[in-house]
């Protein structure tokens, strides 16, 4: 009887060792635990292997074990990216990645006003398309207005009539709301090529669904600078300046006043100013508050103070902090969805005026002349 029991023990140990090999090959971890109970059979083993292990091990209670809990999500892993972006196939996942630029490849399709380009709705809320209309369950912008006394849906930017509302649905005309599949076009400008080279990877990491164009500015062309001829047309303009003493950024003596003005007008305020070699005093600050306060109140540059009040100025030494990266993601998402510009106190009035549009017939006539 002792011989039979010893043989059973050896046989059970051999089976356990074989199962352990299966576990290790499959990336599982098993912990032996000296407590009474059945041997946990990993679900990743084939059915016949699990049955064999249970049926041929009469003293499996002597080898109890349990599978270790899965490790926490690691940033950068596939499962972490899937969870952060929202898994539409699993419970609890919203699937919305529009506010999470890190999931830039999964951003919803935009439906924008054909007149001004502001995002009115996204593919997440698309119910159906039929004939010459598209029906949405909700609109992207809560500011999409309803004309008084009617059910007309108006664009929150240019107030053009886009469609109607009824039965908790929004029916928009496809000749006035168009689908946009393009990436976010970012233009990075600076007086120094090195600053552009250092910032471009940060922008691409913050919002992967983008194309980045660059332009090295010349001091001789800064006065009266215009972005109207820039191709492709930028959706988001970033001006980066290396702080080497007194920073002349905006207003009468500022290097970038006309650059920022033209960019503000063309992108409807989707502009960012980055100052390097100017670390904030606190880790949670977006910019050096003392420096920006001095520039706006004592340095005869009130416009840069107004831009910083809108969260569109970031200063760091050589790399952005986590709060700054989060702000950068927020600003790029706003630019991607072309959200209506917020009311801005202290921004020059000329910057907020819409760019003049030349009729095709007029431009053709001018070409003939």
């Amino acid at each position: 009887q002792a011989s039979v029991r010893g043989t059973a023990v050896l046989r059970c140990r051999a089976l356990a060792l074989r199962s352990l090999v299966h576990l290790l090959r499959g990336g599982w971890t098993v912990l032996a635990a000296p407590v009474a109970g059945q041997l946990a059979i990993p679900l990743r083993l084939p059915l016949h292997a699990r049955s064999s292990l249970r049926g041929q091990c009469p003293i499996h209670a002597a080898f109890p074990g349990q599978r270790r809990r899965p490790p926490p999500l690691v940033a950068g892993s596939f499962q972490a990216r899937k969870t952060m972006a929202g898994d539409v196939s699993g419970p609890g996942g919203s699937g919305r990645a529009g506010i999470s630029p890190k999931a830039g490849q999964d951003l919803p399709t935009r439906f924008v006003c054909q007149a001004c380009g502001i995002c009115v709705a996204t593919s997440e809320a698309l119910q159906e398309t039929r004939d010459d209309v598209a029906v949405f369950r909700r609109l992207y912008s809560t500011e999409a207005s309803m004309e008084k006394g009617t059910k007309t849906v108006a664009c929150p930017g240019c107030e053009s009539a886009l469609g109607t509302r009824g039965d908790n649905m929004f029916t928009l005309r496809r000749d006035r709301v168009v689908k946009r599949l393009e990436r976010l076009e970012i233009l990075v400008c600076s007086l120094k090529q090195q600053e552009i080279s250092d910032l471009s990877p940060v922008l691409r990491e913050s919002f992967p669904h983008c194309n980045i164009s660059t332009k090295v500015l010349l001091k001789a062309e800064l006065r009266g600078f215009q972005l109207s001829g820039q191709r492709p047309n930028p959706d988001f303009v970033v001006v980066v300046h290396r702080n080497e003493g007194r920073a002349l950024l905006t207003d009468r003596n500022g290097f970038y006043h006309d650059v920022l003005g033209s960019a503000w007008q063309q992108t409807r305020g989707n502009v960012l100013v980055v100052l390097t070699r100017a670390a904030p005093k606190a880790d949670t600050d977006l910019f050096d508050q003392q420096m920006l306060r001095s520039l706006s109140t004592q340095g005869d540059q009130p416009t840069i103070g107004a831009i910083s009040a809108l969260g569109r100025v970031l200063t760091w030494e050589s790399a952005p902090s986590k709060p700054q990266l989060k702000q950068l993601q927020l600003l790029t998402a706003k630019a991607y969805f072309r959200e209506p510009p917020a009311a801005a106190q202290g921004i020059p009035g000329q910057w907020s005026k819409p760019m003049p549009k030349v009729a095709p017939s007029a431009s053709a006539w001018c070409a003939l002349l």
Side-chain angles (χ1 to χ4, degrees):
Q1 185 177 3
S3 176
V4 171
R5 180 169 302 197
T7 302
V9 170
L10 293 176
R11 186 176 186 182
C12 187
R13 287 178 177 175
L15 290 172
L17 181 61
R18 185 165 54 184
S19 67
L20 181 60
V21 171
H22 281 282
L23 292 174
L24 294 177
R25 287 179 178 176
W28 288 65
T29 304
V30 172
L31 295 178
V35 294
Q38 294 186 352
L39 180 64
I41 308 300
L43 295 179
R44 291 185 64 170
L45 286 179
L47 181 60
H48 68 275
R50 300 201 302 270
S51 302
S52 175
L53 185 57
R54 286 196 179 96
Q56 300 183 29
C57 187
I59 56 173
H60 54 265
F63 298 95
Q66 61 182 4
R67 183 163 55 89
R68 179 179 294 174
R69 292 182 178 180
L73 293 177
V74 179
S77 67
F78 169 76
Q79 186 62 32
R81 294 195 302 269
K82 186 177 179 183
T83 303
M84 293 174 185
D87 182 9
V88 295
S89 62
S94 64
R96 170 153 184 143
I99 309 302
S100 178
K102 291 294 287 183
Q105 301 298 331
D106 302 323
L107 289 169
T109 303
R110 298 163 292 171
F111 290 82
V112 304
C113 172
Q114 189 175 27
C116 66
I118 285 181
C119 182
V120 180
T122 68
S123 56
E124 291 177 325
L126 179 62
Q127 184 72 19
E128 62 175 332
T129 57
R130 57 174 185 265
D131 299 332
D132 58 348
V133 298
V135 182
F136 297 88
R137 296 185 300 274
R138 63 182 181 276
L139 300 180
Y140 175 78
S141 175
T142 57
E143 299 178 6
S145 58
M146 306 285 292
E147 292 186 4
K148 295 182 179 179
T150 70
K151 294 185 177 181
T152 301
V153 177
C155 173
C158 63
E159 300 183 353
S160 300
L162 303 177
T164 59
R165 175 183 179 179
D167 298 329
N168 294 324
M169 293 291 178
F170 299 88
T171 303
L172 307 181
R173 293 175 51 175
R174 297 174 68 180
D175 61 336
R176 300 191 180 185
V177 176
V178 297
K179 182 190 296 186
R180 282 196 64 180
L181 303 174
E182 301 89 349
R183 289 169 168 257
L184 177 68
E185 294 291 344
I186 301 178
L187 174 64
V188 185
C189 306
S190 180
L191 291 170
K192 298 181 181 295
Q193 177 62 47
Q194 186 60 47
E195 299 301 307
I196 295 176
S197 301
D198 292 342
L199 182 60
S200 295
V202 177
L203 292 169
R204 189 171 287 107
E205 175 68 19
S206 298
F207 198 91
H209 194 71
C210 72
N211 296 323
I212 297 180
S213 304
T214 63
K215 184 174 181 60
V216 178
L217 301 172
L218 302 176
K219 291 185 178 180
E221 65 180 6
L222 293 178
R223 189 66 62 185
F225 185 90
Q226 290 294 324
L227 281 176
S228 55
Q230 181 69 31
R231 293 291 181 272
N233 290 326
D235 301 311
F236 186 58
V237 177
V238 183
V239 175
V240 54
H241 176 78
R242 181 190 299 174
N243 181 35
E244 296 177 324
R246 185 186 178 190
L248 299 175
L249 305 174
T250 63
D251 299 285
R252 184 177 57 183
N253 297 320
F255 291 135
Y256 309 105
H257 188 81
D258 290 342
V259 176
L260 291 170
S262 179
W264 195 281
Q265 192 176 34
Q266 183 162 328
T267 65
R268 295 177 177 267
N270 287 301
V271 170
L272 172 66
V273 178
V274 174
L275 271 70
T276 62
R277 298 189 181 180
K281 299 299 185 291
D283 294 337
T284 57
D285 289 343
L286 298 180
F287 52 85
D288 187 336
Q289 296 188 14
Q290 181 178 353
M291 175 184 179
L292 268 295
R293 188 183 304 110
S294 176
L295 290 176
S296 60
T297 59
Q298 303 174 12
D300 197 23
Q301 301 182 64
T303 303
I304 194 62
I307 298 175
S308 65
L310 296 173
R312 295 188 173 275
V313 175
L314 301 176
T315 69
W316 59 68
E317 180 62 33
S318 57
S321 62
K322 289 184 178 179
Q324 291 172 334
L325 286 174
K326 186 176 180 180
Q327 180 69 5
L328 189 57
Q329 293 171 5
L330 175 64
L331 294 178
T332 49
K334 284 179 175 290
Y336 179 77
F337 289 104
R338 296 296 296 270
E339 296 184 9
Q345 184 177 2
I347 298 298
Q350 184 65 29
W351 290 17
S352 301
K353 292 182 180 180
M355 294 187 63
K357 294 183 178 181
V358 181
S361 58
S363 58
W365 177 254
C366 293
L368 290 176
L369 294 178

